[in-house]
Every structure is written in structure tokens, then in C-alpha cells.
Amino acid sequence: MSMTDEPLYPIAVLIDELKNDDIQLRLNSIRRLSTIARALGEERTRKELIPFLSENNDDDDEVLLAMAEELGVFIPYVGGVEHAHVLLPPLETLSTVEETCVREKAVESLCRVGSQMKESDLVEHFIPLVKRLAAGEWFTARVSACGVFHIAYPSAPDAVKTELRSIYTQLCQDDMPMVRRAAATNLGKFAATIESAHLKTDVMSMFDDLTQDDQDSVRLLAVEGCAALGKLLEPQDCVAHILPVIVNFSQDKSWRVRYMVANQLYELCEAVGPEPTRTELVPAYVRLLRDNEAEVRIAAAGKVTKFCRILNPELAIQHILPCVKELSTDSSQHVRSALASVIMGMAPVLGKDATIEHLLPIFLSLLKDEFPDVRLNIISKLDQVNQVHSIREAAANNVKRLAEEFGPEWAMQHIVPQIVLGNVIKFTEKETKTELNISLSRKQVEDSIGRSSHGVEAIVREDLVRIKAYLLFLRYMIDHMNKPCNQEISNRFTKNLMIRWSSGLNLDCKSSNGLSLASIFQPKSTPFFQSKDMLFELHMILFIYALKLREKAMVLASKDMVESTKAYREAAGVFDSVCKIGHTDWSYIEKFPELTSPVCSSLKLLCLAEGQAVTASKAKEKGTSASLVAKLHYGVTQFVAEANASLLSKTNTQVKQLSSRFLDYVSTLGALHELKSGKHLAESLESEGELGEAIGVLRRSLARAKLTTQCRSDTWKSIFKKEREQVITMMNKYESLNESMMLQRIPLEADLPTLQGDKIVKLIPYIDTK
């Protein structure tokens, strides 16, 4: 290839790859647009690359979606905001395609580009685009038009603003329901840019059209617009225009619209204000709570606490409590479950006396519900009750405070037996006698300890509720028995108390990447240890609670990364709490490495590492820069290194009791994420044009992975093999590109950039329930 031909190479490669039958090759080409643009330079990118993309008619939606996403961040490659308008033609084309996700991404990118354009360019280029889309013959163009008006309007001359408002009115009345739905969805954003003088006229006229639409799919979207518009209007105008719509919608013939009203009710109340809510919306809410459709009742029940906070106690007791009592025996378990998750939040509104008289009976009846989800919800939300002085003694944030209000005898008879699992508390006719026996009373907790979730979230959730409830009971009993006035009861309680434990519990659970951690400790043949120390019991259950939180995080990793990371952080907080009691001088502590500081500290760090691993995956999924993803992965490695150092420290006399599988898991986890970090660092270097350094980093990563890992697990071997193959494929690709085009020198290892970590995952402190 001659030097005169070399600048043409990237565009030629792009054209060839975009015509290839292999979709993956076409996708890779689109995702390398920034690299190609840098090779071409800004002028040739504007004159050659962008026009080519505008004419590209690839019919594969995945390729078009990738193109729409790339163009949204392409302003730097065309010469900055001065030339941003050249990106509009290909995005305009993409915003008219049939596939919804492509259109939405194109509109998102149009908004991103338009928000950075100069005002003169908006008038000259962006506003005409909006008009063309709004006048499009095919409905897809008109749908996309609705999403860009709020970008065009603020910069338009007055005459053009009038025209744009008129065009949007026509879209609200379009023959196609899909267009009217888009107009309803985007009305709030558009209205936020419109002058207040036109809100009560033009905008409310559009809103009236949408709220009276014959399609319920349009009307239910207009419900969301109620709250957005209400925040823009003056209070009196909101009451005049928005409130009647909400009331009418609460009686709409479509249950879907009524469901949306119930679901958005609190936001709608905020829009109209507290006084109109109390006078006008209470009847509407009561209708929703008693709706014929279970879905509507579910949504309404879930808002009962928020709605009651707007009311005074008298209104809540008079109008809402009767409905709540009815819902607590509703024929639908899902309605009862929704109610159970929020009911205790009503206590601060009702006050002490009403809580005791009306709320506690409902609360206790839900504790006895036949469906587990209802019982789980009522228990799991106990600690969310607000701490208001007037009801602090009666219905505060946990079982202990409820017990203090009604007395220990009453609590043991009516509350604790229903929350604490099994027959923890037993009674005789003559006196209250409390016994704790692992073989009987703690059987369900022990079952939770021994069983694996097998990836079933509901099982883990139920285990956590059981253990959390038991922790509440333990803390209550410890605090209660330590009071001087209760010494006689305490002596009677501990007389026959025998807590039985054996270390080396089998806690087998699967992590999100398929790895198995059968047990932290070597199997033990030591007989059960017995104690009368309830503090020991409390700390051991805390250790189990942390492991179950970690198991929850593993189960959620593939379903909800945010909640998974949160569970890992919570587990780390509990381990941190337990490790602070490692200095105890209990004579039997040597039999239980679970309670030693080195072990708990290392498990805390391991949970933070695993949480950061999930965070890194989430960052990659969201399209975060490769350089940051590389730092996140190396942060995992740093967490693991600290955990390993704690496990193998000289102060850890229990190191021999740790299982080899567990130690293998810890060390190999760190090595895997070091390899991942190197891969993403290389990807970042390549995107910056440093292809030689990228190749060097990949070679170094492969060499280190080979030296630092000695996988004994077949699962680990499979995972490492897959990761190494990806790195090798990337390295071969980069080497081929370097040999044919870039011709960059590959630095020596001493000159390569070092891996850097960013440990961003922090533990959530465990708050002891006292």
C-alpha cells in the first residue's frame, strides 16, 4: 500500500465490513467509528464518513441501534459544536425506522446533540428537522417528533414558537394512537419550556384533548402528565384544571387508567396541594381502594401511607381505616401483601391510641395470613415505622418497642410467638417459662442455615426474614433480661437454656458467575458445643445473617445488579460488626473461627470485592468508559488482596481451619479480575490510538494470569479459559491491525502503564436493633 493510499484505508475497511453478511462484523465496525474518525480527521469525517452513514441502509436493527448510540457522542469527532449539525441527517433517518428501540435511541441522541448546538444552528438546522418529522407521512417520524420539541422550542423566534405549539396540538389530535401516546408522554417536557402565558391556553387545550381521547392507552399516559403540569401551573389554576381530571380518571371506564391514577396518586396530590386533597381527593381515593379490579386495589393499597400523611388523623381514621380493614381480608393475596408492606407507616399519622385500637389488630391479623408473602412483608417492614414521640412506645420501629409498650408478658404471648420462628417461647398455665432449644425452637432458623437457595430468590428472602426476626427477639431478650428488675425472670429463663452449636457449617451457595463456595471452613467432627450465653448466640446468628445476605446478593447478581451490590454492602457491614467482637475472651472461642477478627474482616473485604465485581459489570453494561471499567475490576483485585492478607496473617490462628476450596476461590477471584482489568485497559488505550501499548498490556496480562493462577476447580478453569480466549482474540486483532495500518512500537514491560484500581463500593453499617 502506498503512502498516498493509506488515508483511504479506514473508510474502505468500514464500507467492506458494513456490507459483510456477518452481523457481528458489522456491529464491530460501527462500534469502532470513533477510532476510524480519528484516523480520518475531522474534515474527512464530516465530508465522507457522516454522509456514508446517512446513506447506509442496513436493515438489521442491532446495527442501527449501535449507530444511533454512537452518533449521540460524536460531536468531538466532527470538529466540535460548530459542526454538530452535520450529525442531524443520519439521526433523522434513524428516527423514522420501524423498530421502536432504534427510534428512541435516535431521539435520545438528537436531544443530546441539539442541547449542545448553538442557537443559530438550532434555528437553521434543528427546527426544520422537527418540522419535517412532525409532517412525516409515516407515523414513526411523527412519533419521534414529539420527543424533540422541548429542545427546539426555547431557541425559536416568537413566530416560530407559535407555529411549534400549533404543530404539537395537531400531534395531540393525530389519527394514529401511537402518535397521540408519544404526544402525551412528552407533553410535560414540552410544557416546561413554554411561557406561562401559554400554559393555560395552548398547553391546557392539548392536555384536554389527550384526557378525552377514546384510547385508554393515551388517557393513562395523560395521567402522568397531570403531576408534571400541576407543578408548572399556579395553585388556583392547578385546582381548576388538574383536579377535575384526576377525579374523573378515578372513575374512568378503563381499569388501566384507574390503575395509573392509583399508582401516581401521591404525585397527583402533591400537584394539587394538601387542602384540595383533603376536600376533593379523599372520596376518589376511597373508590380506588374499593375498586372492582384487584390490580387497582393493589396500587391504591401501596400508597395508603403516603396518602395518609397528607391527611389529618381524623380524616384518616374516618375514611381510610375502614378501607384498610377491608383490604386486610381482601380475596386477593397480592392486595393483602401490598397492604402489609406499608401499613405500619400509618402509625405516626394515627397516633398512639388509634394505633393500639385500630392498627395493631390489623397488623397481627396479617402476621397470621396464610400466604407467606403477606407475612414476609409485614415482618420485613417493621423497622421502617417512623419514630414519632407520640407513638414511640406503642408502635416504633421494631418488635422490641412494641413489646415495651404493652409489657413483656403481653409481647411474649401475642407478638413474639408469631414473629419468632418455631416454638421459641413456651408457656404453662401457672407461669411464663421461656426456653431456647436448638433441636426444637430454633429448627426453622437452623433449616435456613443449612439449606441452599438453588438460585431461588424467594427462599433466600424468606430465610433473611426468619433470621432477622430471630435477631430482634434475641436483642429484646438480652436487653430485657439485663435489667436489674428482671433478675428473677432472667434466672428462670437461663436455668434450662442450652444453645447448641457446631462450627464448620455447610453453607453451599452459587455465585453469580457459577462458582461454588461449599464451605468456608474444613468439615468438623467436633461434637455440638452447648452454652447459656445469649450474646454468643446473637453473634453467631449475626455471622449467619451476613452469609445469607451474601447469598441473596449472589442470587440477585443476574437479575438486579443494583440490589445485588446493596446486599453485598449490607453483608460487609454485618461482618464488620461481628469482627469487632473478635477480642472476646470466651474460653470456647477457639472452636469457632467465625467470630475471630481476621476471618470476619476478610469476609467483609470479600463481600466488598464481590459487590465491586457486580458494579463493574453494571458499568460495562451501561457503556461506561473502558478506562473506568478497568479501574473497577482492579479495585476488585485490591479488595481481594486485602482479604487474602487478613486470612493468611500471623494473627489468624484459625487459618488451618479454612477450606482449601475457599482459599482457592479468594486468590483466583483476584487473578480473574486482574485479567479483566488488563483487557479493559487495553481497550481504552486502543480507543485513544495507543495500539502498541494496548498490545503490550494484553501480553503482560496473559503472562501474569498464567503465573498467578493454579485453578483446582473445573468451574474456575472454564471461566479462566473463556476470559483468556477473549483476551487472546483481542490481542490477535490488535496485532493484525497494527501490522497492516498503525505500525506502532510495542513498549517493554517496564514502560507499560500500570494497572490502577478504584475501590468505590463501601459497606453499609449494620445498625444493631436495640
Side-chain angles (χ1 to χ4, degrees), residues 251-268:
Q251 306 172 77
D252 195 274
K253 61 184 179 181
S254 169
W255 72 265
R256 297 170 64 197
V257 175
R258 302 196 305 274
Y259 169 86
M260 187 61 72
V261 174
N263 196 49
Q264 298 284 325
L265 187 67
Y266 184 71
E267 290 73 16
L268 298 174

Side-chain angles (χ1 to χ4, degrees), residues 358-376:
H358 300 291
L359 205 59
L360 279 177
I362 300 173
F363 160 74
L364 293 174
S365 70
L366 290 170
L367 281 175
K368 301 175 183 177
D369 197 277
E370 60 181 305
F371 285 95
D373 280 354
V374 179
R375 301 194 301 272
L376 290 174

Side-chain angles (χ1 to χ4, degrees), residues 206-276:
M206 302 174 199
F207 181 63
D208 289 341
D209 288 337
L210 295 169
T211 59
Q212 297 171 29
D213 199 279
D214 59 355
Q215 293 280 328
D216 63 351
S217 61
V218 176
R219 297 198 305 277
L220 67 88
L221 290 170
V223 172
E224 297 186 60
C226 290
L229 291 177
K231 294 176 182 178
L232 301 174
L233 294 169
E234 294 295 327
Q236 64 273 18
D237 295 326
C238 183
V239 172
H241 295 284
I242 303 296
L243 187 58
V245 173
I246 300 173
V247 173
N248 289 335
F249 274 161
S250 70
Q251 306 172 77
D252 195 274
K253 61 184 179 181
S254 169
W255 72 265
R256 297 170 64 197
V257 175
R258 302 196 305 274
Y259 169 86
M260 187 61 72
V261 174
N263 196 49
Q264 298 284 325
L265 187 67
Y266 184 71
E267 290 73 16
L268 298 174
C269 293
E270 284 187 321
V272 301
E275 194 56 38

Side-chain angles (χ1 to χ4, degrees), residues 161-196:
K161 285 184 175 179
T162 301
E163 183 182 5
L164 290 175
R165 294 196 301 272
S166 176
I167 294 173
Y168 205 93
T169 299
Q170 295 172 21
L171 293 171
C172 292
Q173 301 169 352
D174 197 274
D175 292 337
M176 298 295 291
M178 293 79 79
V179 179
R180 303 199 300 275
R181 287 202 294 268
T185 300
N186 291 282
L187 181 59
K189 288 190 293 186
F190 183 37
T193 67
I194 294 177
E195 300 81 1
S196 58

Side-chain angles (χ1 to χ4, degrees), residues 364 399-400 402-420 422-428 431-435 472-481 486 489-490 492-494 534:
L364 293 174
V399 177
K400 172 179 172 286
L402 286 172
E404 287 177 350
E405 171 62 23
F406 303 110
E409 302 279 335
W410 180 89
M412 289 180 183
Q413 289 177 341
H414 299 290
I415 293 185
V416 178
Q418 298 172 66
I419 299 176
V420 180
N423 300 317
V424 174
I425 299 177
K426 301 177 182 179
F427 299 92
T428 66
E431 65 176 359
T432 301
K433 182 177 181 182
T434 309
E435 295 180 352
L472 288 172
F473 166 73
L474 286 174
R475 175 50 67 188
Y476 165 73
M477 293 304 299
I478 290 170
D479 290 351
H480 184 69
M481 295 305 174
N486 293 326
I489 298 176
S490 177
R492 197 167 65 231
F493 173 75
T494 58
M534 290 193 70

Side-chain angles (χ1 to χ4, degrees), residues 252-391:
D252 195 274
K253 61 184 179 181
S254 169
W255 72 265
R256 297 170 64 197
V257 175
R258 302 196 305 274
Y259 169 86
M260 187 61 72
V261 174
N263 196 49
Q264 298 284 325
L265 187 67
Y266 184 71
E267 290 73 16
L268 298 174
C269 293
E270 284 187 321
V272 301
E275 194 56 38
T277 295
R278 295 174 186 137
T279 57
E280 303 290 337
L281 287 185
V282 169
Y285 183 51
V286 169
R287 280 195 299 271
L288 294 169
L289 288 170
R290 291 172 169 163
D291 197 274
N292 292 331
E293 293 292 335
E295 288 81 358
V296 179
R297 299 198 302 277
I298 291 169
K303 302 293 182 179
V304 69
T305 291
K306 288 186 174 181
F307 189 83
C308 283
R309 288 173 186 165
I310 303 174
L311 307 179
N312 55 47
E314 291 76 19
L315 283 175
I317 293 171
Q318 181 182 356
H319 297 286
I320 308 304
L321 257 182
C323 299
V324 170
K325 291 179 181 178
E326 294 172 12
L327 293 176
S328 67
T329 58
D330 194 276
S331 59
S332 169
Q333 69 186 79
H334 303 295
V335 174
R336 303 197 303 276
S337 181
L339 180 67
S341 68
V342 298
I343 185 175
M344 293 308 295
M346 294 178 63
V349 178
L350 300 180
K352 175 182 176 180
D353 293 339
T355 295
I356 295 173
E357 181 181 354
H358 300 291
L359 205 59
L360 279 177
I362 300 173
F363 160 74
L364 293 174
S365 70
L366 290 170
L367 281 175
K368 301 175 183 177
D369 197 277
E370 60 181 305
F371 285 95
D373 280 354
V374 179
R375 301 194 301 272
L376 290 174
N377 276 346
I378 195 68
I379 294 172
S380 63
K381 301 300 181 181
L382 279 173
D383 58 355
Q384 295 182 9
V385 180
N386 291 332
Q387 297 183 19
V388 176
H389 179 72
S390 63
I391 59 156

